[in-house]
Amino acid sequence: MDGRELRAVQIAATTRLEPRNGQWSVPSQSGTGSYEVAVAEAGVWHCTCPDHETRLVDCKHIKAVEFTIRRETDSGGVKFTELVKVTYSQDWAAYNKAKTREGEHFPELLGRLCSLIPQPEGAGVGRPRMPLADMAYCMVSRTYSGSASRRIVADLVRAEQDRRIACAPSFNTLLRYTRDPALTPVLHELVAVSSLPLKAVETEFAVDSSGFGTKRTVSWFSKKHGRPMTQREWVKLHMIVGVRTHVVTGVEVTGWTAADSPYLPGLVERTAEHFDVREVSADKGYLTKSNAAAVERAGAVPFMPFKSNTVEPAGDTPWSRMWHYYSYNRSAFLNHYHRRSNVETAFAMIKARFGDDVLGRSDQAQVNEVLCKVVAHNLCVLIQSFYELGIEADFVSPGAAAPKVAS
C-alpha cells in the first residue's frame, strides 16, 4: 500500500462519505474545503483536486470513495492489514550529533558571518552608533534563543567576554536597532552569504511564499455578510531554497496583500549570481510566461504545472517548451516539479524552530525579525551539513562578497 492509498484509508476510516446526486464530497485533509468526486465518461472517476487534474491518476479522494463503496457492499467488511508507517532514510548518527552540538557551533558561525559586515562612516557628531556587525549578531542570537530582549542581555554579555562582539547593548538599544532600516540590507546579504558554503551541492531550487502572523488586525465591513469583519495581518516571506539541504538562497519580505508571482524573477536572478541553477520548480501561482522566461535566462529549466484550460502554444519559446515537456513527458515533468515540496519543508523548519509569528509592531521591525529567522535557519542548515555532507563553512570563498552597507 503506497502513501496515497494509506491517506485514502485514513479518510475513509475517519469520515462519513455519502453520495449526493451522483457526486461524493470528500473533505480535504488540510482542513480547508472539500473536493467533488464523480464518475465521468466511460466509467472513469474524476476529482476536482489539483493532484488528479495534474497527474490524471486516481488521487487519495477517489481511492477513499472506492474504499467506502467496497466497505459498504462487502458483507464481511474490508480489513486493511497492509498499513505501514512511511519512513525516509536519514543518517541519524550525523543528525543527532549535529543537533546536540548546534548550540556550540552557532555562536562561532554567527560571529564569523557578522564579522564580514563593514561599519559605515558616521557623520562625526553626536553619540557614536553601535557597530552594525554587533547589532546583527545580537538580533540573530535573540531569534535563535527565542528569549525576550531583557533575558538575552546575559547571553550578549558572555558574547562580549568571548570577543564575539565589541560591546553588549542594553535591551532598549536592541529594540531600537530592530526598527532600524539600515539593518535590512545587511540581513539580506547575510542570508545570501550564509548559503554560499552549500553552492557546491545545490543545483535544484524551489520557490514559494508563506506568512508570519503579527499582532495587528485589519477591519472592514462585508456587504456579503452584512457585518464588520476583522482579520489579523501577517508578513509574507517569499523565498527560494535548495531542495537538497533546504538552505535559503534569496528572500523578499512583503505585506500580506502582495502577490507571489512577481517575485520569482528576482529570487532566481540573485540565486544564479552564485549558484549553478539547473532547475526551478514552483506551483501554479507562479505560472506566467515571464517567469518561465526568467528561469531560462538563468540557465535553468522551469517546472510549473499547467492549468487544465491551457491551450497548446505556438512557436519556440520558454512557455511552449515547458508546455510540451509537461504534455508529452508528464511523469518525468512531475518528478521534477514535486521537488517543490522541499520549500514547504523549509518553511516548516523555520516556523517550528523560530516561531510562526513576529513580535514587532512596526513594518520595519517585522521585516527585520523575519530576516533574522532566515539567517538563523541557514546557519542551522550549515551545521547539519557539516556532519551529514562534510561541508565546511567558507563565507569568503570566491564569489562570496562581503555584505555592503551604504554609508
Side-chain angles (χ1 to χ4, degrees), residues 106-118 133 136-137 140 186-187 189-197 374-376 378-379 382 393-396 400-403:
F106 189 90
E108 188 267 336
L109 277 180
L110 180 58
R112 288 167 54 190
L113 181 63
C114 292
S115 67
L116 302 176
I117 303 174
Y137 180 96
V140 178
V186 172
L187 294 172
E189 289 296 327
L190 291 185
V191 171
V193 175
S194 63
S195 69
L196 294 181
V374 178
V375 175
N378 273 4
L379 293 181
L382 275 181
D394 182 11
F395 295 127
V396 290

Side-chain angles (χ1 to χ4, degrees), residues 11-75:
I11 295 175
T14 59
T15 307
R16 183 177 179 83
L17 302 178
E18 295 179 345
R20 293 184 178 179
N21 299 324
Q23 291 188 337
W24 299 71
S25 181
V26 182
S28 170
Q29 282 190 305
S30 64
T32 56
S34 61
Y35 300 105
E36 300 300 324
V37 176
V39 177
E41 297 180 359
V44 178
W45 286 102
H46 176 76
C47 181
T48 58
C49 74
D51 184 31
H52 176 74
E53 291 182 348
T54 301
R55 290 179 174 271
L56 300 178
V57 297
D58 288 353
C59 61
K60 60 185 178 182
H61 309 103
I62 293 177
K63 292 181 179 295
V65 172
E66 291 177 341
F67 285 144
T68 300
I69 295 174
R70 285 167 52 192
R71 181 180 62 201
E72 294 181 355
T73 56
D74 189 343
S75 59

Side-chain angles (χ1 to χ4, degrees), residues 116-246:
L116 302 176
I117 303 174
Q119 177 67 11
E121 297 181 2
V125 295
R127 184 177 179 178
R129 290 175 56 86
M130 292 287 293
L132 288 181
D134 288 1
M135 297 313 303
Y137 180 96
C138 296
M139 290 171 58
V140 178
S141 294
R142 174 197 174 197
T143 298
Y144 177 76
S145 67
S147 301
S149 299
R150 291 174 175 83
R151 296 194 182 117
I152 194 64
V153 170
D155 293 337
L156 300 182
V157 171
R158 283 193 292 271
E160 179 184 353
Q161 295 170 351
D162 294 338
R163 300 179 181 273
R164 302 194 193 280
I165 58 176
C167 179
S170 67
F171 71 90
N172 278 325
T173 301
L174 182 59
L175 290 175
R176 185 171 67 252
Y177 272 82
T178 302
R179 304 187 294 268
D180 191 347
L183 276 170
T184 303
V186 172
L187 294 172
H188 271 283
E189 289 296 327
L190 291 185
V191 171
V193 175
S194 63
S195 69
L196 294 181
L198 295 172
K199 64 182 180 180
V201 299
E202 291 291 7
T203 58
E204 301 163 359
F205 298 86
V207 180
D208 205 353
S209 69
S210 186
F212 290 81
T214 70
K215 304 297 183 182
R216 301 187 308 196
T217 59
V218 59
S219 300
W220 71 96
F221 184 84
S222 173
K223 298 182 69 175
K224 176 181 178 181
H225 298 91
R227 58 184 175 86
M229 305 287 287
T230 301
Q231 177 175 305
R232 189 169 69 157
E233 291 185 0
W234 66 87
V235 181
K236 184 177 282 190
L237 171 63
H238 310 260
M239 69 183 191
I240 180 170
V241 306
V243 301
R244 183 175 181 184
T245 63
H246 306 121

Side-chain angles (χ1 to χ4, degrees), residues 365-386:
Q366 293 170 1
V367 170
N368 289 342
E369 191 173 342
V370 171
L371 291 174
C372 286
K373 292 177 187 286
V374 178
V375 175
H377 164 77
N378 273 4
L379 293 181
C380 292
V381 169
L382 275 181
I383 295 170
Q384 186 169 338
S385 299
F386 295 165

Side-chain angles (χ1 to χ4, degrees), residues 73-125:
T73 56
D74 189 343
S75 59
V78 179
K79 295 182 180 180
F80 301 102
T81 59
E82 303 178 60
L83 294 181
V84 294
K85 183 178 180 180
V86 180
T87 59
Y88 301 92
S89 60
Q90 174 74 51
D91 186 350
W92 288 108
Y95 177 85
N96 292 336
K97 194 171 184 180
K99 293 305 178 184
T100 54
R101 301 192 63 184
E102 184 181 277
E104 172 188 344
H105 292 300
F106 189 90
E108 188 267 336
L109 277 180
L110 180 58
R112 288 167 54 190
L113 181 63
C114 292
S115 67
L116 302 176
I117 303 174
Q119 177 67 11
E121 297 181 2
V125 295

